[in-house]
Structure formats: C-alpha cells, structure tokens
C-alpha cells in the first residue's frame, strides 16, 4: 500500500514500467472502478489493507527520519517549489488520483501569488477495484487525504501545461509531490489525537480525524511535534 521511505527513490524507475502497463490495462481497470465505486458508501468502506508488519516498519522510519528537523525542512525546500495556506473546499475521486478544490488564504512560498484564489490540487491517493469487486484504498503519498472543511499548510509543485490548455482551466493546478520524504500537507485547524490502529482501523472511514499516517502513540507524538515545528518555521504573523 504505502511506500517505504527507503524505497521511495526506487519508485521513479518503477513508475516508468507502471506507465507502460497502464497503457495496456488502464481501460479495463477504469471500467471496473466505475462500476464498483460510484456509490459514496463504497469509498467510506474501502479496504485500507495495512499490515501490522508494515505499520511497525513505517513507525520506525518516522522515528529515524524525523529526528532531524533541519533535514525535513531542507527536503521540503528542495522538492517543493510552492507552499500555501489553504482551505479545502471540495474533493473529487478521480482515476489514479484525488482532486481537491481549495482556496488559498496565504502564499507562503513561490513566485506565483495565489492568495485569495481557488486552485486545484492533486494527491497521489486513489481507489481501485479488486478482482472480487471490493474497493481498495491505495496511497502513494506520505500525507493522509485532505478533508473538506479543514485548513492546511501544503507544499506543492505546479502542473505545467501548454498555454492553450491552461487557458481552458480557469485556475492553476498543483500536486503534492510523492518523492518528498516528509508529509507535504499539515493540518492547521486541528490536531491529530489518535493513531491508526491496524487491529481495528480496517476501512477508509477510519481515517476520519487522522491527518498523518502513524501507527503508535510514540509515532503520533513525533509527527505532531514535527508538524508544529514545520508550521512555526513557515508561517509567521498569522492567527491560524
């Protein structure tokens, strides 16, 4: 399901292969997805599929990687050209991505000022149909799915289109980078108080109230601490 930090760079090569396979299998998968997932309850009940072994490995990565705040900031600065404070207005489950309509409350970083504008943000988390008709949630990003009604500090890159196509969109489009070894979305108006318990959190609706992937109280404390430090570092003179 989720990608290990230590394997993240290897995903680049794998993506090339997956793109080729997608060209062959995309149509069949998409049709299956549409038949299975149009009911909103299907999304809520999609299978998370997180094993206890994976959760322990993931928490260990959090403990080791997030011990160096400077390393996390350097990673975000190098990999993400833009940072915005946003309010999440709407979500749309697309093929191989989740699409959000958001309003930018403040441009934190980048040479395009989107303050006061609505933009589109894509995240590499998606729902896919299994061979037995179940809906599976598959997340490539480290950040948990954004939630409508919540505010975030997000680190993104701009999707570059031909000028003729860009004019048809009405707004700029951005994406949360999947090759950044730190979360790229930090909730501003909430704080996560519970970790994901793999013994009972089996379906997508279990992610309600959860903004970071962590699977123990120790990992939850660590990710909340790093989130607060990130927000203090990037957001100045704000009431949020």
């Amino acid at each position: 399901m989720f990608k290990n930090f230590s394997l993240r760079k290897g995903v680049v090569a794998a993506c090339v292969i997956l793109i080729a396979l997608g060209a062959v299998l995309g149509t069949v998968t998409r049709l299956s997805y549409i038949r299975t997932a149009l009911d909103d309850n299907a999304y809520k009940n999609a299978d998370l599929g997180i094993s206890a072994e994976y959760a322990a490995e993931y928490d260990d990565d959090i403990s080791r990687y997030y011990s160096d705040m400077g390393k996390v900031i350097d990673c975000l600065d190098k990999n993400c050209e833009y940072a915005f404070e946003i309010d999440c207005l709407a979500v749309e489950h697309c093929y191989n991505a989740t699409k959000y309509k958001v309003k930018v409350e403040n441009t934190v970083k980048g040479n395009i000022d989107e303050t006061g504008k609505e933009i589109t943000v894509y995240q590499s988390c998606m729902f896919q149909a299994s061979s037995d008709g179940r809906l599976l949630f598959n997340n490539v990003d480290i950040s948990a799915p954004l939630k409508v009604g919540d505010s975030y500090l997000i680190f993104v890159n701009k999707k570059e289109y031909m000028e003729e196509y860009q004019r048809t969109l009405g707004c700029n489009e951005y994406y949360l980078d999947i090759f950044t070894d730190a979360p790229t979305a930090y909730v501003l108006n909430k704080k996560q108080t519970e970790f994901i318990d793999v013994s009972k959190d089996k379906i997508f609706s279990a992610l309600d109230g959860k903004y970071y992937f962590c699977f123990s109280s120790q990992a939850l404390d660590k990710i909340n601490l790093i989130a607060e430090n990130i927000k203090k570092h990037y957001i100045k003179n704000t009431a949020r």
Side-chain angles (χ1 to χ4, degrees):
M1 181 184 169
F2 310 100
K3 305 302 180 185
N4 189 306
F5 293 151
S6 61
L7 298 179
R8 190 164 295 276
K9 302 307 179 183
V11 175
V12 178
C15 283
V16 176
I17 299 173
L18 290 174
I19 289 171
L21 290 174
V24 178
L25 301 175
T27 301
V28 174
T29 304
R30 176 163 47 191
L31 290 175
S32 175
Y33 170 81
I34 291 171
R35 287 196 300 269
T36 306
L38 286 180
D39 183 355
D40 188 57
N41 284 326
Y43 296 114
K44 297 176 182 178
N45 292 294
D47 189 355
L48 288 181
I50 308 172
S51 69
E53 292 76 15
Y54 177 81
E57 184 179 1
Y58 194 95
D59 279 358
D60 183 60
D61 282 336
I62 290 176
S63 178
R64 288 185 292 104
Y65 186 82
Y66 294 155
S67 62
D68 187 343
M69 181 66 188
K71 183 177 180 181
V72 176
I73 292 173
D74 184 61
C75 178
L76 290 170
D77 283 342
K78 285 184 176 179
N79 289 281
C80 303
E81 188 175 356
Y82 299 90
F84 303 116
E85 292 178 66
I86 60 98
D87 294 325
C88 185
L89 304 179
V91 59
E92 179 183 350
H93 300 301
C94 302
Y95 181 64
N96 277 347
T98 299
K99 178 181 178 181
Y100 304 100
K101 180 171 74 172
V102 309
K103 181 180 179 182
V104 178
E105 298 294 341
N106 183 37
T107 298
V108 176
K109 169 187 166 185
N111 60 8
I112 301 177
D113 187 0
E114 300 278 16
T115 304
K117 301 177 182 178
E118 291 185 3
I119 61 173
T120 295
V121 175
Y122 289 91
Q123 185 178 24
S124 293
C125 56
M126 70 287 294
F127 295 86
Q128 299 173 326
S130 67
S131 58
D132 60 1
R134 292 180 301 119
L135 197 62
L136 310 176
F137 175 66
N138 185 17
N139 194 69
V140 181
D141 196 359
I142 296 175
S143 300
L146 306 188
K147 296 167 177 60
V148 172
D150 284 329
S151 303
Y152 296 86
L153 169 64
I154 60 171
F155 295 83
V156 294
N157 289 308
K158 187 173 180 293
K159 293 176 75 72
E160 298 295 343
Y161 300 118
M162 293 181 61
E163 184 177 349
E164 293 79 5
Y165 179 66
Q166 178 64 52
R167 285 198 296 265
T168 69
L169 296 178
C171 70
N172 289 324
E173 297 192 338
Y174 297 83
Y175 62 93
L176 297 166
D177 195 294
I178 64 172
F179 300 114
T180 302
D181 292 330
T184 49
Y186 297 85
V187 67
L188 295 175
N189 63 322
K190 302 282 182 64
K191 181 176 180 179
Q192 186 165 325
T193 59
E194 296 181 341
F195 61 87
I196 300 170
D197 186 344
V198 295
S199 68
K200 63 179 183 179
D201 294 335
K202 303 293 187 180
I203 59 176
F204 182 74
S205 61
L207 298 182
D208 291 347
K210 299 180 176 71
Y211 302 92
Y212 312 103
F213 291 118
C214 54
F215 306 95
S216 66
S217 59
Q218 294 85 355
L220 174 61
D221 290 342
K222 188 73 173 181
I223 199 70
N224 275 331
L225 177 62
I226 202 71
E228 289 306 310
N229 286 331
I230 288 293
K231 289 183 281 188
K232 288 178 182 178
H233 179 82
Y234 286 97
I235 302 176
K236 299 176 177 63
N237 301 318
T238 179
R240 283 173 170 265

